[in-house]
Amino acid sequence: MKVNHVPTYTMSEDEVSKIVKSCDTHKVPIVPYGGATSIEGHTLSPNGGVCIDMSMMNSIKALHIEDMDVVVEPGIGWMELNEYLEPYGLFFPLDPGPGATIGGMCATRCSGSLAVRYGTMRDNVISLKVVLANGDIVKTASRARKSAAGYDLTRLVIGSEGTLGVITEVTLRLQKIPQHSVVAMCNFPSIKDAADVAIATMMSGIQVSRVELMDEVQVKAINIANGKDLPEIPTLMFEFIGTEAYAREQTQIVQKIAAEHNGSDFVFAEDPEAKKDLWKIRKEALWACFAMEPNFEAMISDVCVPLSHLAELISRSKQELDASPLVCTVIAHAGDGNFHTVILFDPNIEEHRQEAERLNKFMVLTALSMEGTCTGEHGVGTGKVKYLEKELGVEALRTMKRIKAALDPNSIMNPGKLIPPHICF
Amino acid sequence: MKVNHVPTYTMSEDEVSKIVKSCDTHKVPIVPYGGATSIEGHTLSPNGGVCIDMSMMNSIKALHIEDMDVVVEPGIGWMELNEYLEPYGLFFPLDPGPGATIGGMCATRCSGSLAVRYGTMRDNVISLKVVLANGDIVKTASRARKSAAGYDLTRLVIGSEGTLGVITEVTLRLQKIPQHSVVAMCNFPSIKDAADVAIATMMSGIQVSRVELMDEVQVKAINIANGKDLPEIPTLMFEFIGTEAYAREQTQIVQKIAAEHNGSDFVFAEDPEAKKDLWKIRKEALWACFAMEPNFEAMISDVCVPLSHLAELISRSKQELDASPLVCTVIAHAGDGNFHTVILFDPNIEEHRQEAERLNKFMVLTALSMEGTCTGEHGVGTGKVKYLEKELGVEALRTMKRIKAALDPNSIMNPGKLIPPHICF
């Protein structure tokens, strides 16, 4: 049944349950709506239906300082949560785009630059409450930090993109704000050198908290946007955390590794203002791109490969990107093998859109040929549906479809997302 | 259909697929069999059927040093795997009982003393291959370290105890063998003091690699078994890892924390032999218990609670344990809030068995009243089935049952385990 798109603000778990149950009875599609910062079409309503806006369910229900966990409603943003936690010396260690909400972050299994140290949403959620299509309110796990009690419903829902249920409560693991941190930056003659340093850093056993790689085009964008004069060559940025002595020791070890791989201009900052200035370069990378093409849109790729393939993947991609008429920059979470390109295109020019799509596809297929994934952290949505079978095989997709059909027999939960439409079982 | 128990050694994934498909056609139960070190009845065959022994599928298929991962068949033991990895400076950081195999460890979502630093099986598996009841061979994920590509089938299978499929291949994340480690031991006048030190250590932001707590009865057992003369009071054992300087710095920070909580006799070892000797005390704790009652069996409890409740849970449990005619010792993975008691009983005396069961139940219900779990790491099997509904609610169990029915409609996969028999949907 196709119906108009009806936005609904919800106030409570019980209300969500009633809405969902009613929609199930009448076979009306539901699209849960968080911060809407996702870029793979997760919040589109291809069949109309009810869009449940979770922004009013944004309270902090309980903070357990000694357990280092917090229970929140899904509509709260990660930045607001961290503001609340700061006076307690705690933080939630995921940093996707500003505006992302905890519920949406669970739904897309997101991560960010800190994942190399703290993992993704998969690793930082203790339990969930979820409203299923039949209106059941399911608690997925106890509040214990670890458990072997039955199927891991928590992880099943994380990354399910609203296709299995609506998340109404999240219990998150928190981390201590590090005593000290050092931010460092270093340049390399080639992407391969930079990637080799990321590998050697990971293999050194050092627990770096961030390793971010930018190509020369990205650095150029930053220079234009911020009036900087950074060397326009491949650049790595690091963050080291821990006690003061340990953060410094790690910095020195990585400085040595960088020197062994043709690294130059190793600069680091410990002073809070200097760190902020240095890190701002990376943080505003996406916005800097628009300084080069102010009226364009960005298509952002999101492939991720085993670390040893990262250099080759980026090198092969850059041949295509550099030869393209479109402006493309590279930003990688290099410690995880996750690599984004920002492809700038004019949305009014069909050839532009097709070229952006072609480049994205080239990178996905190259990553898949290296045992990688089409999406490291942005999710499937509608954008990556076409690549899933090649990545995982039809048997895995059939299994997902069976689970989906078992929990949502009327297919009302965010239909058209994640599972390719042609999959039968 | 009830059939006799037929052990079957399998040699390949294809063979597993054929066996399972054939069993599904004829509705014959299947029990996958690993190291059989689990203690919750996972490998029982209540309805007879085919027991698939995975011990012949124990090869290492690929080691990717730069990616820090390894692809193995499920029958390999974690200890054999670590022997193989040692020359490469790598290890797999989970340490359940000796004899446990990687496949079984996935199936039970196991962990051990290192989980406080490295997480459980949930956190250390990149992808699986699994044979489902219909014979489908499913690849659950790519080899990338992180991915947002569809439902997390990897995590769904981890902890499913053979009830969803037979694991035929595992890709594991590896860790660098730490440059340096320090083992330390410290005594406390009360369990509360010891638990408070565990909390304060976790909250300090230090990444201790092990925090193990033993009560005075456990220390007594060790003294008897090993001819030692350790003070028979609550005792914490730590392991600190990292660079030499960092491991020492952590030791000093925790020594200070211990002193603030009435800790005494803080000893630590850095020399390899001295460390081995010190750690042997904890490693052989279970066997030491049998020195007190050589002809008895042990029932081992496995509750886990949010860390702030650990001291109260142990204190309340010890009142019951100390008042019992049975000898009971306490060993806790204190950094995770996971707490084992070894309850020694004569299997020939029915009252003994009932008393052991009563104590176990007391601890489970107490843990559940504290938002904890009936099983931190041993799994559900048949032993914990009766507590799951109280822990998770009927809605969660109904959801599990639906998933089970969708993937194993003839209920041939390890029937009678994990899902309580009364659950309908």
Side-chain angles (χ1 to χ4, degrees):
Chain A
M1 178 167 106
K2 176 150 173 122
V3 294
N4 291 330
H5 177 105
V6 185
T8 308
Y9 290 90
T10 188
M11 304 295 285
S12 74
E13 190 167 82
D14 273 347
E15 210 175 59
V16 174
S17 173
K18 278 179 198 154
I19 295 167
V20 173
K21 210 169 169 177
S22 168
C23 285
D24 196 44
T25 305
H26 300 287
K27 298 192 172 54
V28 174
I30 285 174
V31 181
Y33 194 90
T37 58
S38 79
I39 53 179
E40 295 292 355
H42 292 102
T43 51
L44 298 177
S45 297
N47 310 320
V50 171
C51 174
I52 305 188
D53 188 317
M54 306 302 288
S55 60
M56 310 274 276
M57 280 183 72
N58 64 348
S59 70
I60 292 164
K61 298 175 88 170
L63 171 64
H64 305 104
I65 294 173
E66 291 199 321
D67 300 322
M68 293 171 75
D69 71 47
V70 69
V71 185
V72 300
E73 289 187 322
I76 192 168
W78 66 274
M79 296 179 85
E80 296 149 71
L81 176 63
N82 278 337
E83 270 171 39
Y84 168 83
L85 293 170
E86 197 180 0
Y88 303 97
L90 297 169
F91 78 116
F92 180 65
L94 274 95
D95 56 351
T101 62
I102 295 297
M105 290 161 68
C106 289
T108 54
R109 200 185 300 132
C110 92
S111 53
S113 66
L114 285 165
V116 67
R117 168 66 182 76
Y118 295 104
T120 73
M121 281 308 274
R122 193 188 81 193
D123 309 294
N124 291 285
V125 175
I126 293 173
S127 76
L128 298 170
K129 286 176 83 180
V130 187
V131 174
L132 299 187
N134 64 358
D136 268 7
I137 300 170
V138 173
K139 178 179 97 162
T140 62
S142 74
R143 201 163 59 79
R145 284 169 85 87
K146 68 181 196 186
S147 173
Y151 300 163
D152 193 344
L153 298 180
T154 313
R155 253 47 61 178
L156 180 64
V157 172
I158 291 173
S160 67
E161 305 184 354
T163 65
L164 297 179
V166 182
I167 296 167
T168 50
E169 186 185 289
V170 187
T171 303
L172 298 167
R173 275 180 82 151
L174 302 176
Q175 300 289 335
K176 177 83 177 165
I177 295 175
Q179 213 182 86
H180 195 78
S181 71
V182 178
V183 176
M185 193 161 78
C186 186
N187 308 315
F188 297 88
S190 73
I191 287 279
K192 173 142 184 22
D193 285 314
D196 283 346
V197 168
I199 292 175
T201 301
M202 297 302 285
M203 288 200 67
S204 73
I206 277 187
Q207 274 201 298
V208 64
S209 64
R210 287 179 165 119
V211 199
E212 300 283 300
L213 187 157
M214 297 179 291
D215 77 342
E216 70 283 0
V217 190
Q218 182 61 57
V219 179
K220 186 180 171 188
I222 289 162
N223 281 341
I224 294 173
N226 302 338
K228 296 259 180 194
D229 190 25
L230 301 166
E232 292 177 2
I233 52 176
T235 300
L236 276 182
M237 291 192 70
F238 297 94
E239 188 183 60
F240 307 102
I241 55 170
T243 59
E244 198 170 325
Y246 186 50
R248 281 193 193 144
E249 189 185 19
Q250 294 174 84
T251 311
Q252 282 157 10
I253 292 170
V254 173
Q255 183 169 16
K256 193 162 166 279
I257 293 171
E260 286 162 7
H261 291 84
N262 307 313
S264 64
D265 300 325
F266 196 93
V267 293
F268 61 91
E270 291 188 82
D271 168 73
E273 278 308 304
K275 277 192 292 199
K276 217 171 151 186
D277 274 2
L278 210 51
W279 203 250
K280 207 172 164 232
I281 292 171
R282 165 63 187 88
K283 253 185 158 169
E284 297 179 356
L286 175 61
W287 315 120
C289 294
F290 289 112
M292 297 202 293
E293 301 282 5
N295 299 316
F296 279 22
E297 281 187 11
M299 182 179 288
I300 303 179
S301 72
D302 178 39
V303 293
C304 184
V305 289
L307 202 46
S308 64
H309 293 294
L310 184 63
E312 196 195 338
L313 172 63
I314 299 183
S315 302
R316 279 165 67 179
S317 301
K318 274 194 65 68
Q319 280 181 17
E320 291 292 315
L321 299 170
D322 292 348
S324 169
L326 300 183
V327 173
C328 311
T329 74
V330 168
I331 314 172
H333 305 310
D336 285 326
N338 187 197
F339 146 51
H340 302 303
T341 38
V342 179
I343 307 168
L344 295 165
F345 69 99
D346 185 334
N348 300 313
I349 302 177
E350 183 53 28
E351 292 76 18
H352 270 206
R353 193 182 286 276
Q354 280 176 15
E355 171 67 1
E357 193 58 62
R358 185 189 71 78
L359 293 170
N360 201 347
K361 184 176 180 180
F362 174 84
M363 288 182 275
V364 168
L365 297 183
T366 309
L368 296 186
S369 75
M370 297 170 168
E371 299 183 79
T373 176
C374 64
T375 169
E377 56 184 15
H378 293 169
V380 178
T382 55
K384 294 289 164 60
V385 154
K386 54 187 168 293
Y387 303 120
L388 271 202
E389 184 169 343
K390 193 162 180 71
E391 176 170 337
L392 297 169
V394 71
E395 296 84 358
L397 297 189
R398 261 201 313 247
T399 308
M400 291 182 198
K401 177 87 174 188
R402 273 202 195 108
I403 294 167
K404 163 80 174 170
L407 302 190
D408 177 21
N410 294 319
S411 206
I412 62 160
M413 301 304 309
N414 212 1
K417 322 296 163 67
L418 196 144
I419 297 175
H422 70 279
I423 297 294
C424 307
F425 62 91
Chain B
M1 179 168 104
K2 176 152 171 123
V3 295
N4 291 329
H5 177 105
V6 185
T8 307
Y9 290 89
T10 188
M11 303 295 284
S12 74
E13 190 167 82
D14 273 347
E15 209 174 62
V16 174
S17 173
K18 279 180 196 150
I19 294 167
V20 173
K21 210 168 170 177
S22 168
C23 284
D24 196 44
T25 304
H26 300 289
K27 297 191 173 54
V28 174
I30 285 174
V31 182
Y33 194 89
T37 58
S38 80
I39 54 179
E40 296 292 354
H42 291 103
T43 52
L44 297 177
S45 296
N47 309 320
V50 171
C51 173
I52 305 187
D53 187 318
M54 306 302 289
S55 60
M56 310 274 276
M57 280 183 72
N58 63 349
S59 70
I60 292 165
K61 297 175 88 171
L63 171 64
H64 305 103
I65 294 175
E66 291 200 320
D67 300 323
M68 295 173 74
D69 71 46
V70 68
V71 185
V72 301
E73 288 187 323
I76 191 167
W78 66 274
M79 296 177 84
E80 297 149 70
L81 175 62
N82 277 337
E83 271 171 39
Y84 168 84
L85 293 171
E86 199 181 357
Y88 302 98
L90 296 169
F91 78 117
F92 180 66
L94 273 95
D95 56 351
T101 61
I102 295 297
M105 290 160 68
C106 289
T108 55
R109 200 186 301 133
C110 92
S111 53
S113 66
L114 286 165
V116 66
R117 169 68 183 74
Y118 296 104
T120 73
M121 282 308 274
R122 192 187 81 193
D123 308 294
N124 290 282
V125 176
I126 294 173
S127 76
L128 297 171
K129 285 177 85 179
V130 187
V131 173
L132 299 187
N134 64 358
D136 268 7
I137 300 170
V138 173
K139 178 179 98 162
T140 61
S142 75
R143 201 163 60 76
R145 285 169 83 89
K146 68 180 197 187
S147 173
Y151 298 164
D152 193 344
L153 298 180
T154 313
R155 254 46 61 179
L156 179 65
V157 172
I158 292 173
S160 66
E161 305 184 355
T163 65
L164 296 180
V166 182
I167 295 166
T168 51
E169 186 185 288
V170 187
T171 303
L172 297 167
R173 273 180 83 149
L174 302 176
Q175 299 288 336
K176 177 84 178 167
I177 295 175
Q179 212 183 86
H180 194 77
S181 71
V182 178
V183 176
M185 193 160 78
C186 185
N187 308 313
F188 297 88
S190 73
I191 288 277
K192 169 138 187 26
D193 285 315
D196 283 347
V197 168
I199 292 174
T201 301
M202 297 300 287
M203 287 199 65
S204 73
I206 279 187
Q207 274 201 297
V208 63
S209 65
R210 287 178 164 119
V211 200
E212 299 284 300
L213 186 156
M214 298 180 290
D215 77 342
E216 68 285 359
V217 190
Q218 182 61 57
V219 179
K220 187 180 170 187
I222 289 162
N223 281 341
I224 294 173
N226 302 339
K228 297 260 180 193
D229 191 23
L230 301 166
E232 292 177 1
I233 51 176
T235 299
L236 275 183
M237 291 192 69
F238 297 95
E239 188 183 61
F240 307 101
I241 56 171
T243 59
E244 199 171 323
Y246 186 49
R248 281 194 194 142
E249 189 186 20
Q250 293 175 84
T251 312
Q252 282 158 8
I253 292 170
V254 173
Q255 184 169 14
K256 192 161 167 280
I257 293 171
E260 286 163 5
H261 292 85
N262 306 312
S264 64
D265 299 326
F266 195 94
V267 295
F268 61 89
E270 292 189 82
D271 168 72
E273 278 309 303
K275 276 192 294 198
K276 216 171 154 186
D277 275 1
L278 210 52
W279 203 250
K280 205 171 165 231
I281 292 171
R282 166 62 187 90
K283 253 188 159 166
E284 296 179 356
L286 176 60
W287 316 118
C289 294
F290 290 112
M292 297 203 291
E293 301 282 7
N295 299 314
F296 279 21
E297 281 186 10
M299 182 179 287
I300 303 178
S301 71
D302 178 39
V303 293
C304 185
V305 289
L307 202 46
S308 64
H309 293 294
L310 183 64
E312 195 195 338
L313 173 62
I314 299 183
S315 302
R316 279 165 67 178
S317 301
K318 275 195 65 67
Q319 280 182 16
E320 290 292 315
L321 299 169
D322 292 349
S324 169
L326 301 182
V327 173
C328 310
T329 75
V330 169
I331 314 172
H333 305 310
D336 286 326
N338 187 198
F339 146 51
H340 302 303
T341 38
V342 179
I343 306 167
L344 295 163
F345 68 100
D346 186 334
N348 301 312
I349 301 176
E350 183 53 27
E351 290 78 16
H352 269 207
R353 192 181 287 277
Q354 281 176 14
E355 172 65 1
E357 194 57 62
R358 185 189 71 79
L359 292 170
N360 201 346
K361 184 176 180 180
F362 174 85
M363 287 181 280
V364 168
L365 297 183
T366 310
L368 296 187
S369 75
M370 296 169 168
E371 300 184 77
T373 175
C374 63
T375 171
E377 57 184 15
H378 293 170
V380 178
T382 56
K384 294 288 166 59
V385 154
K386 54 185 168 294
Y387 303 120
L388 272 202
E389 185 169 342
K390 196 164 179 68
E391 177 170 336
L392 297 170
V394 71
E395 295 83 1
L397 298 188
R398 260 201 314 247
T399 308
M400 292 183 198
K401 178 87 175 190
R402 275 203 193 109
I403 293 167
K404 163 81 173 167
L407 303 190
D408 177 22
N410 294 320
S411 205
I412 62 160
M413 301 305 308
N414 213 2
K417 322 297 162 63
L418 196 143
I419 296 176
H422 71 278
I423 297 295
C424 306
F425 62 91

